[in-house]
Amino acid sequence: QAAFCRADLMRRCGSWNLHNIPYVPGSMTRHLPDPITGINVPWLYVGMLFSTFCWHNEDNYLASINVNHVGAPKQWYGVPGASSSKFEDVVRKFLSQTIKKIPDLLHHMNTQFSPSLLRAADVPVYQLRQNPGEFVVTFPQAFHAGFSYGFNVGEAVNFANTQWIKHAHVANERYRRVGRLAVLSH
């Protein structure tokens, strides 16, 4: 299973409203009692040349859907959730002193690593270029990062089906080990 998938769904399915994604039948996020920005309320992103999003996985290991509405492409790099522990081993190796001070460093979304550094450590890294009108879906626990090729406007929201529950348990244990509070209660 790759870290993410891409589909040019707008042309085939008409326009989508990401506000609806967390509430579709079968979505676990439809049961949240309150709106949580970025979880069940979409974020709007405005990018510019070389603006980045650092390596991270989604809160509580949720899945996400991202659309590039207009503008320049975005470059994405992804590590499958099944390889997240290998990714974290590389981070611990190269940033051991920082992680001692900040155990939940990867949840701060301020860490960049070259994909070639990760590949040299046998971490599988996939890449894709997201053009305007295309969606990118990130899977639970998958790390991802990237940058913009120029001005663009994107939007993202999280979602979860019943398969996510097993990832939620892993996220809870991970948060407990690093002393981090979960964004939502399972």
Side-chain angles (χ1 to χ4, degrees):
Q1 183 175 1
F4 44 66
C5 65
R6 176 177 64 182
D8 188 5
L9 297 173
M10 282 186 154
R11 283 187 265 254
R12 289 187 280 148
C13 302
S15 64
W16 281 29
N17 184 338
L18 293 192
H19 286 271
N20 297 330
I21 299 293
Y23 302 102
V24 298
S27 175
M28 302 302 290
T29 51
R30 73 183 309 177
H31 302 289
L32 293 173
D34 298 307
I36 304 172
T37 304
I39 302 291
N40 59 352
V41 176
W43 281 98
L44 188 68
Y45 295 94
V46 177
M48 59 185 222
L49 183 61
F50 302 130
S51 61
T52 63
F53 50 105
C54 295
W55 286 104
H56 68 287
N57 44 28
E58 298 300 314
D59 290 322
N60 294 80
Y61 295 161
L62 291 162
S64 72
I65 185 166
N66 306 263
V67 62
N68 183 351
H69 287 293
V70 65
K74 288 173 72 172
Q75 181 70 42
W76 287 73
Y77 299 98
V79 173
S83 299
S84 63
S85 60
K86 289 177 84 173
F87 176 92
E88 291 175 4
D89 288 345
V90 172
V91 173
R92 280 190 288 277
K93 177 182 176 185
F94 287 96
L95 298 175
S96 61
Q97 295 304 312
T98 305
I99 287 193
K100 286 179 185 173
K101 295 177 195 167
I102 309 168
D104 64 341
L105 177 69
L106 285 172
H107 299 284
H108 292 265
M109 292 179 40
N110 60 1
T111 304
Q112 282 289 30
F113 274 94
S114 167
S116 61
L117 177 72
L118 294 167
R119 287 186 184 118
D122 293 324
V123 177
V125 179
Y126 298 88
Q127 66 183 33
L128 67 82
R129 183 178 297 187
Q130 180 189 27
N131 295 303
E134 293 179 340
F135 288 88
V136 171
V137 174
T138 64
F139 295 115
Q141 209 170 336
F143 279 96
H144 48 284
F147 65 90
S148 294
Y149 284 95
F151 175 79
N152 56 32
V153 178
E155 187 178 14
V157 72
N158 291 121
F159 66 95
N161 61 22
T162 56
Q163 297 299 310
W164 163 76
I165 294 171
K166 64 185 173 197
H167 298 283
H169 292 300
V170 174
N172 271 346
E173 178 58 23
R174 173 81 164 66
Y175 288 172
R176 186 193 63 74
R177 282 195 325 262
V178 298
R180 182 173 183 81
L181 294 175
V183 174
L184 55 98
S185 173
H186 302 114

